[in-house]
Structure formats: structure tokens, C-alpha cells
Amino acid sequence: MRGVILAAGRGGRMGHYTDDVPKAFLEFDGRTLYDRQHALLEPHVDGTSVVLGYRHETVLDRYDPADPIVLGGWDRYENAASLLLALRRIDDDLLVINGDVLVDEREIGRLVGAFDAHDGHLNHVGCIPGVQDTETAIRWDDSGRVTAYGLIEGHQHAGFGIVSSDHRAAAIRILRERLHDWYPCVYPRTPTHPLLIPADRHLEINRPCDLERAHAWLASERIQCA
């Protein structure tokens, strides 16, 4: 299995914080978000790639990330294009995480364990319980298979998941036709099971105020994070 961090976008809601680097390379508490994500994935993968776009030259010069993949025209597409580029480059199961998400390391372990329990034949996606319709959400049927995604009533997509190599060709075909969509569109169109994770074991950094939230979250004794 390979890790993939999707970090091509700027993160415009961060304001001046992302004038020089994309959101995934903001530093807080002495480390970048990317560095923490890389450390989270490392125990579970044979290597991690990062998809870059905005200010990629600065990122490469300043941080020298492992195995960078550069998305040309990043500002013309949504992150479906980022995952498509990674799938075309890497012929393996992909453990994917959004570049603005932190997750308790125990939940990464649970996701990989659930994937392995199905012998790697099903995609798995992390979801936050509680039906809502204001964030990207996912629904599933009684058999546990994901059936819908979008700004719908459903469980919030937690920004990480596994795309099985069994469904790589189908995922490439789907994403190629949906470059202006968000990559979770692949989940209801290929065999995917959800993994519900506690809301307090997940943090998304979208605005400057979230950096202070991240500081408190990382300092909590209840959280295990790289």
C-alpha cells in the first residue's frame, strides 16, 4: 500500500497564511501539517507521495517532500484531478488523505484493519457520524455499501480513505470524466464500505482560527497523533 497526500490547492480561506505555501505546508507547533500527515501514514504504507500544485516550486525548495507529484493546471480542476494523477502514477492500493486533515493515528489503524479484513477487495472511507447536509457527505445502504456522495443528507466525509488496486482502472475512468468534481465521487461508483470515526478524533483546518484549534487538539491527552 502507498500513501497519498492531496495538497495541490492553495487553501484560500486561510487568507494571507497561504500567500507563500499551500495550506498543507503551514507550520504550527514547530512542524508542517504535511509532516504530521506523513508520519501518520508511514507505519501503514511502503512510501508516501504528495500531490502538489499551488506554489509547488516553493514547497520543493523549502521542504523537499518525499516523492512529489506535480499537478499542472491545479487551479482549473478540483481534487478529483489530484487523485487521478496519483492513480495513474501508482499501481497499488492507495491510502489517501486530504492535505488539510489531521486524524488520530488509531483511526488510520482501524481503517487499514477494516480494509485488510476484506482482503483488500473493497475501498474504505472514513466518515464522521451524524447526518448533516452542509459538508461533503456520504450515504450507504443496508449492506454497508456506499451509494451516494455530495452536499446531501449523510455522514460527513472525514477526508481519508483507501482506494483498492482492485478498482484502480474503474476509479481512473470515473475521475477522468469528473475533473471538476471532488474525488469522493469515486466511492459510490466503486465497491466501498464506510468506517465511522469519533468526531473528536478528526480535525480539518480551513480557516486561521483552526490553527489554534489544532494546537489544543494536539495537546489533548485523549488524542494520539504524530
Side-chain angles (χ1 to χ4, degrees), residues 43-193:
H44 306 287
V45 297
D46 298 321
T48 297
S49 303
V50 57
V51 182
L52 302 173
Y54 171 72
R55 297 286 190 186
H56 67 272
E57 301 96 338
T58 301
V59 171
L60 295 174
D61 289 344
R62 190 178 299 176
Y63 299 102
D64 191 26
D67 196 24
I69 301 172
V70 177
L71 175 65
W74 64 271
D75 53 341
R76 299 199 306 270
Y77 306 113
E78 289 292 357
N79 59 17
S82 293
L83 181 56
L84 174 61
L85 189 60
L87 282 164
R88 283 174 165 167
R89 187 76 60 88
I90 304 166
D91 185 6
D92 203 346
D93 304 319
L94 297 189
L95 175 51
V96 183
I97 188 166
N98 290 10
D100 57 3
V101 167
L102 282 174
V103 183
D104 189 299
E105 61 189 24
R106 290 168 291 187
E107 301 310 315
I108 299 291
R110 286 183 60 224
L111 183 79
V112 172
F115 178 75
D116 290 343
H118 288 88
D119 296 322
H121 297 313
L122 298 174
N123 302 335
H124 279 71
V125 57
C127 305
I128 299 170
V131 175
Q132 55 85 52
D133 59 4
T134 59
E135 305 283 350
T136 302
I138 289 175
R139 287 201 300 258
W140 49 88
D141 60 22
D142 291 341
S143 72
R145 177 166 171 168
V146 171
T147 57
Y149 125 92
L151 293 178
I152 59 175
E153 289 189 351
H155 302 278
Q156 183 182 348
H157 175 234
F160 70 108
I162 298 174
V163 178
S164 169
S165 59
D166 284 6
H167 308 298
R168 176 173 175 262
I172 288 173
R173 183 176 64 253
I174 292 160
L175 294 168
R176 189 172 56 225
E177 296 170 354
R178 295 175 175 270
L179 297 178
H180 300 285
D181 204 343
W182 290 80
Y183 77 87
C185 67
V186 78
Y187 291 129
R189 295 172 175 85
T190 52
T192 302
H193 276 200

Side-chain angles (χ1 to χ4, degrees), residues 189-217:
R189 295 172 175 85
T190 52
T192 302
H193 276 200
L195 177 77
L196 287 174
I197 70 167
D200 62 359
R201 291 191 176 183
H202 169 274
L203 179 71
E204 186 171 345
I205 298 175
N206 282 319
R207 296 175 175 84
C209 62
D210 294 330
L211 295 175
E212 187 59 34
R213 289 180 58 226
H215 174 79
W217 188 83

